[in-house]
Amino acid sequence: MARIVGIDLGTTNSLVAYMDKGTPRIIASRHERAMVPSVVALTDNGLIVGDPAKEHLTRHPERTVYSVKRFMGKSLADVQGELAYFPYALTEKGGVIRIQLGEKSYSPPQISAMILKELKLRAEAFLGESITKAVITVPAYFNDSQRQATKDAGMIAGLEVLRIINEPTAASLAYGLQEKTQGTIAVYDLGGGTFDISILKLKNGIFEVLATNGDTHLGGDDFDQLVADLLLKEIKAQQGLDLSAHPDHMQAVRLQAERAKIRLSEELKTTVCLDLPNGQGQFTRELTRDQLEALCGPLVERSLGPCRLALKDSGLNPTEIDEVVLVGGSTRMPLVRQRVQALFGKQPHCDLNPDEVVALGAAVQADILSGGTTDMLLLDVTPLSLGIETMGGVMSSLIRRNTTIPASAKEMFTTYVDGQTGVDIHILQGERELAKDNRSLARFRLKIPPLPAGVPRIEVTFLIDANGILNVMAKDMRTGETQSIEVKPSYGLSDQEVERMIEDSFKFAADDVSARKVIEARLDAGALITTTEKSLADGGHLVAAGEVATIRAALSALASAKEGSDPRAIRARMADLEQAAKGLTVAMLDDSLKQGLQGKKISDVT
Amino acid sequence: MSGHTHNTDDRRQLQMARSMCWHCQSEMAGEYFCDRCVKVQPVSKDVDYFTCFGLPRRLAIDTRVLEAKFYELSRAFHPDFYQNKSDAEQSISLGNSAMLNTAYRTLRDPIQRAEYLLDLEAGSVKDIRTSPPADLFEEILELQETLDEFRESDRASEQASTLRAKLHADRTNLEERQREMETRLHQLFSRWDALQDRGEATEEARTERSSILKDMRNILSNRTYVKNIVNDLVETIA
Ligand SMILES: Nc1ncnc2c1ncn2[C@@H]1O[C@H](COP(=O)(O)OP(=O)(O)O)[C@@H](O)[C@H]1O
Ligand SMILES: [Mg+2]
């Protein structure tokens, strides 16, 4: 089976990992950081992703997209409150947000797909093979629309998404693999944009999630925003300057706020320095850890509510949790560690790199799916109750939250009026009583043959698969015929739209072509390195020592060019190497000819 | 949205028990996998949850045995292990896993287990109470009034705090009632299991059987009713 990689598609940073003989490893090359910032920028030379895109945050804020994960599976109305914070333009089409970048607008799955493609490319260059299958992680508390949007992103990036798994559970796989623990663990995952808590039972290789909870809108970004707001207010008060008119400076303030926050995880105080627009000098301020904690305290506190709910749903007391595992960059904050420790009454575990553990776990799950790892099995749950709208606008629950997936529920439908030919079904997700307070997932019309009222019997099966994604099937119980259902997602792309975006992604990704070139060059370079090394081993003795040294130098020059992403440089070093190894090739050819002749002679004799 | 009815009994409207492998058509002796072609088989919808876990139809269950069997069957059915298999096998794996998860959730909880057994034994659709049980009638009506008054009151007022205190007392009282009902239920559970263990086919045994089932059903529906009231109360005063 083709290799499956594991991808952590984060709000802030994304990573790709693979399984190397039973050990999950992060894919990183010598010249690039393993973490790809989840940032996409439109430059004059096309779209760029990751670290280089991050540099455009302050230069071209209106053309640089960050934290796109916050918009996955959302409508504009969902994010109304924070629109002012984003320097890029957001619009909406068919219930799906669109992000304006230059002339074109992109859906969040399309932007995410660009990040996924960068990871795919890196994996391909590193592993020297084409990658088409992946396991992608999502926050455990993601709803159906958000999961589906993530799957769409994978498809647009040319990846078959074999499984969507939850980030905290992925972390538990990596953790469990390493620690061989048994017992109950709580995984507290606080990243850039989202918060998850999952409580699991680990026993004989089974990872059973007992309960999960979270907040898909709580993370380090929010801490940064609080600090930034404080700075902006002070700049306004002290210098009479309103920076909101300067998107580039707004971004600079946000970045400085984040840096100061990160420094305060190590230090007790730090200085924030900001250049003011139009050469109006600098703004400097000292920020202490106490001040930061006073600002962020309420948000950290907010994460404890979901923790208590998850404990309650799992039927456990904090004291019954054997281990607490911290995941996500924001758990490096001392305040977060203290609060988590106080809640569970034990020192949290943070031996694993909180940035990498999710991707590593995704690679473990990928290996389970490809049949490599057979002793581990993850039994996850659905984070939110699933139901349908009934008369009076009330939600009737069909599958309760924290039900182990796959999970299914059946519901029988009939008619109230003679000859009625359809029933409208509205699918919801959430914990509230009234339909309107829950998330609308989809609507569809169940077709019914015209018959007297009450006679038709249509059984609808709602099935949540192992990805936490809903599938709906209908069966006419009188005829036994199954009915295919066209479900229109309330906040998602239709199949046709995804289809079109996949096509578009081939069409307008001009820099895809150059990306392809990099990959091909890297692959060719890899092959040349391997054959040259083999020649050196087999025929090195046939040439002068000086020549061997020249070949070795050319080899290492090519190896480092291969780590970069300039196809021309790689091709040039390849040519150099071929040139340097010419003598060796000729010598080996001669040698083999000689051997061949000798061989003939011997055979002639006998 | 119009007309839908709750379907509380999956088992009944399902196909006949299978006896042939869907893949190689050979006669099947094995439980979940064909003896000949080793393909996974859809768990027949006629198999009840107890049978599925290889457990006798009793209300006292060793939950460790249940869990071990659940893990074992999860390893046999989970979609993770069918990624490279045919579409037919993947869909069987999905259906079986979903069924297994429901079965486990049902049997793990003593109350749901009893409701399920009642359903199997007496074919009952779950009794949903819409009015208070007779012995709690007065009490609950009064409580509803207090709750309404409390909801309309100004939370900071003197009146509200008096009402709150009263509601707290009511809550303690109702929770006590709920515990009593649970104790009685457990007594019935033991009587049921003992009766099953004796396996007598006498008239007396039949009478006892139906009287246990009847009592169980009553207490179960009263308990659910009281539990919902308590939940409502807790939410209101929270
Ligand atoms: N040392 C640190 N102290 C505090 N916050 C940190 C630290 N390191 C990283 N972070 C924060 O962690 C967040 C990113 O975490 P990460 O787990 O990579 O996020 P995501 O999974 O959302 O992509 C950012 O908000 C970043 O500011
Ligand atoms: Mg993360």
Side-chain angles (χ1 to χ4, degrees):
Chain A
M1 189 173 179
R3 191 194 290 276
I4 312 171
V5 294
I7 293 177
D8 171 5
L9 182 60
T11 311
T12 327
N13 297 300
S14 299
L15 292 99
V16 54
Y18 75 112
M19 198 73 155
D20 180 17
K21 300 177 203 76
T23 308
R25 289 190 204 289
I26 297 289
I27 291 179
S29 58
R30 243 183 297 163
H31 293 272
E32 290 153 332
R33 289 200 307 143
M35 287 211 280
V36 175
S38 306
V39 182
V40 174
L42 177 67
T43 67
D44 296 339
N45 302 320
L47 291 158
I48 55 168
V49 177
D51 276 317
K54 207 171 167 182
E55 285 165 21
H56 287 257
L57 275 174
T58 48
R59 269 191 272 152
H60 301 289
E62 75 295 343
R63 286 193 273 152
T64 310
V65 185
Y66 62 94
S67 294
V68 68
K69 192 169 171 179
R70 290 203 157 194
F71 303 131
M72 293 288 269
K74 295 277 177 82
S75 69
L76 205 54
D78 294 327
V79 297
Q80 205 60 48
E82 54 190 316
L83 281 187
Y85 290 124
F86 290 99
Y88 40 92
L90 296 169
T91 53
E92 187 187 282
K93 201 169 121 202
V96 177
I97 288 178
R98 303 288 154 144
I99 298 155
Q100 195 69 35
L101 275 184
E103 309 274 270
K104 288 205 160 65
S105 75
Y106 301 82
S107 64
Q110 281 174 298
I111 301 282
S112 298
M114 295 169 197
I115 301 164
L116 289 173
K117 264 195 199 158
E118 170 67 23
L119 297 169
K120 177 176 186 279
L121 241 89
R122 285 181 174 212
E124 288 176 335
F126 183 89
L127 298 166
E129 61 192 80
S130 135
I131 299 292
T132 56
K133 292 169 196 264
V135 168
I136 304 181
T137 64
V138 295
Y141 217 53
F142 252 23
N143 66 27
D144 185 273
S145 320
Q146 294 168 303
R147 284 167 198 268
Q148 191 59 57
T150 307
K151 221 176 158 186
D152 293 345
M155 282 174 69
I156 297 169
L159 288 168
E160 188 187 345
V161 183
L162 293 185
R163 181 60 53 81
I164 295 285
I165 68 165
N166 296 328
E167 285 155 13
T169 26
S172 80
L173 282 178
Y175 173 82
L177 184 73
Q178 182 168 318
E179 305 289 326
K180 303 273 177 247
T181 324
Q182 307 268 344
T184 53
I185 67 168
V187 183
Y188 179 103
D189 179 356
L190 190 63
T194 60
F195 167 65
D196 276 329
I197 175 81
S198 287
I199 313 251
L200 295 101
K201 181 152 113 185
L202 272 55
K203 199 169 175 180
N204 306 328
I206 301 262
F207 291 63
E208 185 189 2
V209 179
L210 301 176
T212 198
N213 213 301
D215 189 330
T216 53
H217 231 113
L218 176 61
D221 284 3
D222 301 293
F223 301 156
D224 304 345
Q225 199 57 59
L226 287 175
V227 176
D229 285 347
L230 176 80
L231 298 174
L232 290 170
K233 212 171 71 198
E234 288 177 353
I235 292 171
K236 197 166 181 183
Q238 290 169 24
Q239 329 257 338
L241 259 176
D242 183 1
L243 291 189
S244 59
H246 304 267
D248 46 343
H249 283 85
M250 293 284 281
Q251 286 310 305
V253 172
R254 197 177 61 83
L255 290 173
Q256 288 303 329
E258 183 190 12
R259 283 188 199 133
K261 173 193 76 176
I262 291 176
R263 288 197 298 272
L264 288 175
S265 291
E266 304 293 329
E267 294 151 29
L268 290 173
K269 61 171 190 264
T270 189
T271 309
V272 189
C273 240
L274 284 161
D275 288 325
L276 296 173
N278 314 326
Q280 294 177 70
Q282 274 197 332
F283 170 85
T284 319
R285 182 201 203 278
E286 192 185 77
L287 189 69
T288 66
R289 186 186 286 177
D290 285 345
Q291 288 168 330
L292 176 74
E293 295 187 343
L295 273 177
C296 302
L299 285 181
V300 176
E301 220 50 45
R302 208 170 97 200
S303 75
L304 301 182
C307 294
R308 294 194 189 95
L309 282 173
L311 277 167
K312 184 161 175 265
D313 281 354
S314 65
L316 295 173
N317 291 318
T319 50
E320 288 171 290
I321 301 293
D322 299 318
E323 294 276 358
V324 180
V325 179
L326 296 181
V327 181
S330 298
T331 59
R332 291 208 178 87
M333 277 174 81
L335 177 66
V336 171
R337 298 199 169 182
Q338 281 159 26
R339 300 305 299 142
V340 174
Q341 177 161 355
L343 177 69
F344 290 99
K346 56 184 61 70
Q347 182 103 31
H349 212 289
C350 28
D351 306 349
L352 294 170
N353 182 339
D355 298 325
E356 296 184 346
V357 65
V358 170
L360 293 174
V364 175
Q365 179 65 33
D367 199 50
I368 296 175
L369 295 182
S370 56
T373 299
T374 52
D375 55 343
M376 287 163 86
L377 173 62
L378 179 60
L379 299 174
D380 217 322
V381 299
T382 181
L384 297 156
S385 299
L386 181 96
I388 48 178
E389 181 170 348
T390 58
M391 264 167 295
V394 171
M395 163 158 155
S396 148
S397 222
L398 297 174
I399 299 175
R400 300 273 305 150
R401 70 163 184 272
N402 292 323
T403 296
T404 308
I405 53 176
S408 70
K410 291 187 168 75
E411 195 75 3
M412 196 69 79
F413 291 88
T414 186
T415 50
Y416 281 150
V417 184
D418 287 348
Q420 186 179 337
T421 55
V423 173
D424 292 319
I425 297 179
H426 184 196
I427 310 177
L428 303 159
Q429 206 169 25
E431 310 310 318
R432 307 281 298 276
E433 187 113 349
L434 294 181
K436 67 173 173 57
D437 297 326
N438 290 304
R439 187 73 182 165
S440 166
L441 289 191
R443 293 172 191 273
F444 67 92
R445 187 168 179 80
L446 193 62
K447 287 193 211 72
I448 292 181
L451 286 166
V455 173
R457 282 163 55 79
I458 311 284
E459 182 190 76
V460 179
T461 304
F462 300 85
L463 182 114
I464 300 180
D465 65 16
N467 301 308
I469 293 180
L470 176 70
N471 301 266
V472 187
M473 290 149 283
K475 188 169 166 188
D476 187 331
M477 296 311 281
R478 289 171 43 262
T479 62
E481 267 173 53
T482 52
Q483 190 185 113
S484 74
I485 294 178
E486 181 99 7
V487 176
K488 183 177 177 334
S490 308
Y491 300 99
L493 301 168
S494 67
D495 290 353
Q496 291 89 326
E497 283 174 298
V498 174
E499 213 54 56
R500 220 193 41 242
M501 287 172 183
I502 295 174
E503 279 166 28
D504 284 353
S505 84
F506 289 116
K507 248 185 281 159
F508 59 52
D511 60 9
D512 254 23
V513 179
S514 66
R516 236 342 95 200
K517 281 188 185 146
V518 182
I519 291 205
E520 282 163 9
R522 283 175 182 169
L523 290 178
D524 292 347
L528 182 64
I529 291 173
T530 317
T531 51
T532 312
E533 276 169 349
K534 186 161 185 312
S535 303
L536 267 182
D538 296 347
H541 60 281
L542 298 173
V543 294
E547 209 171 323
V548 172
T550 317
I551 297 173
R552 290 217 185 281
L555 261 175
S556 71
L558 175 58
S560 52
K562 178 172 163 272
E563 297 287 337
S565 46
D566 180 356
R568 264 163 313 178
I570 300 176
R571 296 281 174 205
R573 297 290 87 74
M574 282 175 71
D576 290 352
L577 177 59
E578 272 164 353
Q579 185 62 38
K582 219 173 195 163
L584 174 62
T585 318
V586 172
M588 286 181 74
L589 208 69
D590 283 351
D591 190 51
S592 73
L593 275 174
K594 239 191 295 172
Q595 301 243 340
L597 289 176
Q598 279 168 1
K600 217 174 233 154
K601 258 184 215 152
I602 296 164
S603 64
D604 281 351
V605 174
T606 50
Chain B
M1 246 227 32
S2 71
H4 79 279
T5 54
H6 271 277
N7 167 27
T8 51
D9 190 350
D10 285 353
R11 289 170 304 111
R12 255 177 276 137
Q13 16 117 20
L14 295 159
Q15 319 100 333
M16 307 295 293
R18 92 205 118 72
S19 57
M20 237 188 238
C21 168
W22 61 270
H23 182 71
C24 72
Q25 261 84 47
S26 67
E27 287 288 324
M28 286 260 314
E31 238 191 319
Y32 300 123
F33 294 89
C34 172
D35 307 334
R36 207 167 82 192
C37 69
V38 218
K39 295 259 189 270
V40 66
Q41 304 294 318
V43 173
S44 161
K45 311 287 163 72
D46 286 341
V47 171
D48 71 71
Y49 298 162
F50 291 95
T51 314
C52 173
F53 282 98
L55 292 167
R57 231 182 250 193
R58 300 289 187 275
L59 288 168
I61 281 187
D62 184 343
T63 49
R64 275 165 313 180
V65 174
L66 184 72
E67 183 191 81
K69 191 74 188 173
F70 171 62
Y71 287 166
E72 183 195 320
L73 290 175
S74 292
R75 285 187 185 280
F77 295 149
H78 198 277
D80 277 8
F81 303 128
Y82 290 82
Q83 205 69 44
N84 306 325
K85 300 281 168 66
S86 66
D87 285 353
E89 284 162 280
Q90 288 194 14
S91 122
I92 293 170
S93 133
L94 194 58
N96 283 4
S97 294
M99 187 283 313
L100 177 68
N101 290 335
T102 311
Y104 181 54
R105 195 172 56 252
T106 309
L107 294 192
R108 192 177 43 184
D109 176 62
I111 300 291
Q112 283 191 49
R113 187 191 309 149
E115 282 170 349
Y116 179 69
L117 180 118
L118 202 62
D119 197 8
L120 285 179
E121 294 290 338
S124 85
V125 171
K126 206 158 123 190
D127 227 2
I128 299 173
R129 253 196 180 285
T130 48
S131 64
D135 56 334
L136 287 172
F137 203 85
E138 295 295 320
E139 241 174 293
I140 287 180
L141 283 196
E142 205 189 308
L143 168 69
Q144 304 280 32
E145 271 169 34
T146 321
L147 269 176
D148 287 343
E149 268 178 69
F150 180 75
R151 284 198 188 99
E152 279 155 26
S153 70
D154 170 8
R155 294 295 148 97
S157 69
E158 183 107 353
Q159 183 209 13
S161 63
T162 325
L163 289 171
R164 188 190 292 272
K166 186 167 178 326
L167 287 170
H168 270 293
D170 285 342
R171 174 185 172 178
T172 316
N173 177 26
L174 281 180
E175 281 173 344
E176 181 57 38
R177 294 300 193 101
Q178 205 179 315
R179 268 192 300 276
E180 279 166 24
M181 285 191 250
E182 276 158 21
T183 312
R184 271 161 58 214
L185 270 177
H186 280 100
Q187 286 161 358
L188 287 169
F189 293 172
S190 315
R191 275 176 61 203
W192 170 266
D193 287 356
L195 184 73
Q196 294 297 109
D197 289 343
R198 290 203 300 278
E200 294 161 79
T202 60
E203 187 58 37
E204 260 163 53
R206 263 195 295 281
T207 319
E208 186 180 357
R209 177 180 180 280
S210 52
S211 113
I212 295 175
L213 290 175
K214 193 173 130 257
D215 289 351
M216 227 151 58
R217 180 190 322 224
N218 269 332
I219 303 178
L220 280 171
S221 65
N222 289 352
R223 181 191 164 276
T224 308
Y225 187 87
V226 170
K227 197 174 148 229
N228 288 340
I229 300 253
V230 172
N231 286 347
D232 188 26
L233 199 161
V234 169
E235 237 168 69
T236 313
I237 57 180

